[in-house]
Amino acid sequence: MAVTAAVDEAFRTEWGRVVATLIRLTGDWDLAEECAADAFARALDTWPRDGVPRRPGTWLTTAARNRALDRIRRGAAESGRLRQLAPLVDDDPPPDEEDAVPDDRLRLMFTCCHPALPLEAQVALTLRTLAGLTTLEIARAFLVPEATMAQRLVRAKRKIRNARIPYRVPPAELLPERMAGVLGVLYLLFNEGYSTERGELAEEAIRLARVLVELLPDPEAGGLLALMLFQESRRAARTGDGELVTLAEQDRSRWDHAMIDEGVAVLDEMFAAPGPYQLQAAIAACHATARHAADTDWRRIADLYDLVSRMSPSPVVSLNRAVAVAEVDGPAAGLALVDGLRDELKGYHLLAATRADLLRRLDRHEEARAAYEEAVAQAPTDAERRFLARRLAGLTAASGTSAC
C-alpha cells in the first residue's frame, strides 16, 4: 500500500516533468506520453521489490528514456534521434537535472497554450500532458464524448507538428502576451472545477499555477495563484446538506486558513504594478481575511473594482462593482448600476439574482419576486435553482402573497 501511494504521489508530481523531458528529446508527443505511462507501470512492478528510489523523478525519467530509445530502435532508421538519445541512456543514472527539467515543464506549458491552437485544444493538451489526465477523464470533465476529445488532442498535436510551433518559452518581447494566454487557460480550468464541483480540475489548476510561479515568477501569475487559493479555501463551506451557502452565511471556521495564508503570502511577495489577476486577488483577500462577514472592507472592494473595470472592463466586473457599491452606499445606489447592465447581461442569471436581492432589501417585493423567478429560470445548475427558489419562497412568505 505504501509503495502504491508513493507511485500515486510520483504521478501527481512527476508526470509533467517526465513527459516534458521526453517531448524535448524526441519531438514526439504520443511517444512521450506512452513511454511515460510505461515507466509508471514499471514502477508499480519493481518498486515493491526494490524499494522506492531516493529520487523517484530521476528513476522515472531514466525508465521512460530507455523505453523511448527501445521504441526508436525497433521502429526504423532514425539514426539522428538515436544519436541524440544514446548519451542519455547509459547504465548509470543521468546527472542531476534539477535545473533543466523545470525548463522543460515551462516549455511544455507555453506550447500547450500557444495562441495558434483553439482554446479547447489548449485546455485539453494542458490536462493531458502536464496533469496526466486520460482522454476519458478530460472528456467527462467537459461533457463531450471521448471520441470528440480524442480528435481534439490529435488535431492539436498535428497542428503543433505541421505548423512547427516551437517548443520553448517565448522571447521576452512576446512573453506578456503569451503569459496572458497561459493564465487564461489555468483560470478556465480552475473555474470549471470550482463552479461544477469537479474539485480535481481546480486542484490541478492550482498545482500548475504553483509550478508556473516557481519557474517564472511573474506578478500576474502570482496574482492568479493567490486568487485561486482564496477561492478554493472556501470550498468546504460553500455547501451544506447539498445546498449552496452564500459567502455572508458561510461558517468561516470551515475555510482552509492555511490556503488563505499561502495566498496572502504570495500576493504580498509578488504584488507589483497591479494587473487584473492581482487586483481580483486583492478583492478576494478582503473576503478571505475578514473574520466575520460584517468585517468585510466593502469600500476597498469597490475601489479595487473601479481599478479592475478601468483595466479590463466587462459587464460582469461592473455587476460585481455594483454589489460592492450597494454595500457601501445602499441598495438603491447598487440597483441603479445593475439596471444599467440589463441589456449587456440579458439572460445572465446572476444579474437577475442580484436585482432580486437589491429589490428585496428595498421592500419592493413584487418586483423582487419577478426577478427571482427570472433568475430561477436562467440558473445553470440544480443547486443554484434550488437556492434561488428558497429565496423566492422566503420572499413570498414574508410578503404574505402567493407565487404565480
Side-chain angles (χ1 to χ4, degrees), residues 28-342:
D28 188 326
W29 289 58
D30 291 328
L31 179 66
E33 292 173 13
E34 291 166 11
C35 293
D38 182 78
F40 281 95
R42 285 192 57 203
L44 283 171
D45 288 338
T46 61
W47 290 6
R49 181 189 68 234
D50 300 337
V52 178
R54 184 173 61 87
R55 295 168 59 198
T58 298
W59 189 100
L60 290 161
T61 301
T62 302
R65 282 171 164 162
N66 288 342
R67 179 63 172 160
L69 180 58
D70 289 342
R71 292 276 298 273
I72 290 172
R73 279 181 177 140
R74 290 199 305 269
E78 295 199 42
S79 57
R81 286 166 69 186
L82 185 59
R83 283 194 298 272
Q84 181 186 23
L85 285 174
L88 301 173
V89 291
D90 297 334
D91 292 336
D92 295 328
D96 191 342
E97 296 189 345
E98 205 60 36
D99 293 331
V101 174
D103 288 342
D104 286 333
R105 285 186 297 166
L106 199 57
R107 293 187 190 101
L108 182 56
M109 195 174 295
F110 277 96
T111 305
C112 288
C113 301
H114 195 281
L117 300 174
L119 180 59
E120 66 270 14
Q122 295 179 33
V123 173
L125 271 181
T126 299
L127 287 174
R128 180 75 191 105
T129 58
L130 279 159
L133 272 66
T134 66
T135 304
L136 178 59
E137 288 170 331
I138 302 169
R140 285 175 176 168
F142 291 94
L143 306 177
V144 299
E146 182 179 7
T148 299
M149 185 56 68
Q151 282 301 310
R152 285 182 187 175
L153 290 166
V154 167
R155 285 195 295 266
K157 293 172 185 176
R158 186 183 299 134
K159 174 77 171 181
I160 289 170
R161 181 181 66 250
N162 293 345
R164 299 184 181 277
I165 292 174
Y167 186 68
R168 62 181 173 87
V169 177
E173 65 273 14
L174 297 179
L175 191 56
E177 172 189 342
R178 291 287 304 281
M179 177 65 80
V182 172
L183 298 182
V185 167
L186 294 183
Y187 199 33
L188 177 63
L189 291 180
F190 176 82
N191 281 331
E192 186 68 24
Y194 190 73
S195 62
T196 61
E197 298 302 320
R198 289 196 288 270
E200 72 281 0
L201 291 183
E203 290 172 7
E204 285 301 332
I206 290 174
R207 188 178 68 81
L208 292 172
R210 285 190 178 114
V211 170
L212 182 60
V213 169
E214 172 193 348
L215 302 180
L216 195 64
D218 176 83
E220 275 292 85
L224 176 60
L225 174 57
L227 173 61
M228 293 193 294
L229 289 167
F230 291 138
Q231 292 178 333
E232 182 67 10
S233 71
R234 301 194 297 266
R235 179 180 290 277
R238 290 180 71 228
T239 58
D241 298 323
E243 301 295 333
L244 288 180
V245 181
T246 65
L247 179 61
E249 296 169 339
Q250 287 175 16
D251 178 357
R252 299 185 178 216
S253 68
R254 298 184 64 199
W255 289 1
D256 188 328
H257 292 279
M259 199 170 280
I260 292 171
D261 290 343
E262 181 186 355
V264 169
V266 170
L267 192 59
D268 286 347
E269 179 182 352
M270 303 191 69
F271 199 82
Y277 288 115
Q278 293 176 79
L279 291 173
Q280 291 180 66
I283 291 167
C286 291
H287 293 293
T289 57
R291 293 191 62 186
H292 307 284
D295 299 330
T296 305
D297 188 346
W298 285 105
R299 171 61 70 185
R300 175 167 169 74
I301 291 174
D303 290 342
L304 287 167
Y305 270 124
D306 280 338
L307 293 175
V308 176
S309 63
R310 290 180 213 152
M311 189 172 297
S312 300
S314 78
V316 173
V317 168
S318 296
L319 178 62
N320 289 331
R321 178 179 175 273
V323 171
V325 168
E327 295 296 330
V328 175
D329 298 327
L335 182 62
L337 296 174
V338 170
D339 282 344
L341 298 168
R342 295 180 74 174

